[in-house]
Amino acid sequence: MTQEPTQFQLTTPESVASDPDAVELTRMWWSKGEPVMSIKPAFTDPRQYGHMLALAAKHMAHGYAVRHGHDERQAYNLILEGFSEILKRNDVQTVVEKE
């Protein structure tokens, strides 16, 4: 596997690295024109994952404001709009890759 360009590399936050009880729940990539992810349904209550996705959307909107100069509220609304567009579709399928 080739290494990603530096501007796309993510690092593990120190607070997570130092927490022996931390659990990784999702890894996501954009690959070959589509999202690819590895997920672990570790929460017993699926709403907790929804909470995590909502917080991720808020943090991503902030990232768009800082990195790309977007209005943070508008970026958040666009993220929610994209979320809504996918939820309305009937053609989303889960494909499990062989290990």
Side-chain angles (χ1 to χ4, degrees), residues 19-71:
D19 179 0
D21 296 322
V23 176
E24 184 173 31
L25 302 169
T26 306
R27 287 188 185 194
M28 300 175 80
W29 300 266
W30 189 257
S31 175
K32 299 178 183 175
E34 64 184 10
V36 179
M37 61 198 75
S38 179
I39 59 171
K40 181 186 306 171
F43 293 124
T44 56
D45 182 351
R47 285 178 296 190
Q48 287 179 283
Y49 196 77
H51 294 169
M52 189 180 81
L53 291 175
L55 288 168
K58 287 184 106 22
H59 294 310
M60 185 61 78
H62 180 75
Y64 273 101
V66 171
R67 180 172 270 191
H68 299 292
H70 289 251
D71 174 88

Side-chain angles (χ1 to χ4, degrees), residues 4-22:
E4 287 181 294
T6 305
Q7 72 266 28
F8 297 125
Q9 291 179 8
L10 299 174
T11 58
T12 302
E14 176 55 38
S15 61
V16 173
S18 65
D19 179 0
D21 296 322

